[in-house]
Amino acid sequence: RMEWTNRPGKNRMKMEQKKEPPRVLTDSFSLSLSLSLSLCLCPSVAMELLYWRDLKQTGLMFSSILLLLFSLTQFSVVSVIAYLALAALSATISFRVYKSVLQAVQKTDEGHPFKSYLEVEISLSHDQMQRYAENAQYYMNSTLKELRRLFLVQDLVDSLKFAVLMWLLTYVGALFNGLTLLIMAVVSMFSMPVVYEKYQAQIDQYLGLVRTQVNSVVGKIQEKIPGAKRKAE
């Protein structure tokens, strides 16, 4: 930056150039924190990440989640949390000490190296908490009502389809554990939206054919099973 200073008898322009701190650590820490909060609190930000609108942000989030999940396959949850906390503290404490020593040697007063991140507002307002609580309540009530409808056989066809799904999941559970399925779900979540966006016409065409065949089979089952035919809406 350029700074004007006045001295007795003359004006002098002084070029002052501050040394920027290494941005790799601070940028990665800030980006990871902001992405995690945004992904949880803002669905639009989540969609931007899943569709890879920003390669740097999505790549960082995707690699961080996969690293965490693969770590859980080798270590316990407590160990992974402890190691991650120690790694983060080691990096931030080392950087804090480095900046303090650098300021003492150069006799500068740049302040706390994480000052801008400490001033970031991360608390939730009362309205936000109320909105998220209402959304959670709505989804929970909807899930409970749907499960009641399926288990108490309000519609025989839907209950049969749910039973078939659970039967198929028994085979899936025999082949994969929950963590492996979660890793596969994360990979699919970050890849399928992009693939669908690129080949939407072809995918919709094949999905339409599959849906037609499924509806045809379901219709035949409804005709043969007493009481399975849906009431006309």
Side-chain angles (χ1 to χ4, degrees):
R1 65 176 181 175
M2 301 185 68
E3 185 179 277
W4 287 95
T5 56
N6 294 327
R7 289 192 176 181
K10 63 178 180 178
N11 291 333
R12 187 171 66 88
M13 183 178 70
K14 180 175 68 174
M15 300 289 294
E16 181 180 352
Q17 183 177 4
K18 279 190 174 183
K19 291 186 178 180
E20 292 291 335
R23 309 267 329 156
V24 175
L25 172 63
T26 55
D27 282 352
S28 300
F29 177 77
S30 174
L31 192 56
S32 300
L33 178 62
S34 61
L35 286 180
S36 301
L37 292 174
S38 300
L39 188 61
C40 296
L41 304 179
C42 185
S44 60
V45 175
M47 291 298 102
E48 292 292 322
L49 289 173
L50 296 180
Y51 281 94
W52 294 79
R53 303 304 185 203
D54 189 313
L55 293 179
K56 180 181 178 181
Q57 292 184 355
T58 303
L60 179 60
M61 177 61 67
F62 183 47
S63 59
S64 300
I65 295 175
L66 281 185
L67 179 61
L68 176 62
L69 293 177
F70 280 119
S71 299
L72 290 174
T73 61
Q74 303 296 326
F75 306 99
S76 66
V77 177
V78 176
S79 298
V80 171
I81 294 176
Y83 281 126
L84 288 176
L86 285 174
L89 284 172
S90 299
T92 53
I93 292 174
S94 300
F95 185 71
R96 178 73 170 88
V97 173
Y98 164 75
K99 290 300 297 181
S100 299
V101 173
L102 191 63
Q103 292 177 24
V105 172
Q106 297 181 347
K107 296 181 179 179
T108 59
D109 187 15
E110 298 179 359
H112 199 287
F114 297 112
K115 181 179 179 181
S116 59
Y117 306 122
L118 291 172
E119 294 175 351
V120 174
E121 182 62 36
I122 60 175
S123 60
L124 296 176
S125 65
H126 176 72
D127 294 336
Q128 288 177 319
M129 289 294 296
Q130 185 176 4
R131 185 169 67 252
Y132 296 133
E134 290 176 353
N135 290 337
Q137 182 184 13
Y138 170 77
Y139 289 118
M140 185 178 297
N141 291 336
S142 300
T143 303
L144 291 175
K145 290 179 181 179
E146 184 65 18
L147 290 175
R148 182 185 63 181
R149 189 181 71 87
L150 292 171
F151 280 103
L152 297 183
V153 199
Q154 182 177 349
D155 186 282
L156 181 58
V157 174
D158 286 345
S159 296
L160 288 174
K161 288 191 291 185
F162 183 68
V164 171
L165 176 61
M166 293 298 102
W167 177 68
L168 292 176
L169 287 180
T170 60
Y171 289 94
V172 174
L175 295 174
F176 309 101
N177 59 27
L179 201 54
T180 303
L181 291 175
L182 186 58
I183 293 174
M184 295 171 62
V186 170
V187 173
S188 300
M189 186 173 60
F190 278 89
S191 58
M192 291 182 64
V194 179
V195 175
Y196 178 75
E197 187 179 39
K198 187 175 182 180
Y199 302 101
Q200 182 175 358
Q202 297 89 329
I203 293 175
D204 287 343
Q205 180 181 359
Y206 289 111
L207 287 179
L209 295 175
V210 173
R211 190 180 299 111
T212 301
Q213 294 295 327
V214 171
N215 291 336
S216 176
V217 173
V218 171
K220 293 178 181 179
I221 294 176
Q222 288 176 336
E223 293 175 356
K224 294 181 179 181
I225 299 179
K229 192 171 183 179
R230 295 179 183 272
K231 295 181 179 180
E233 295 182 357

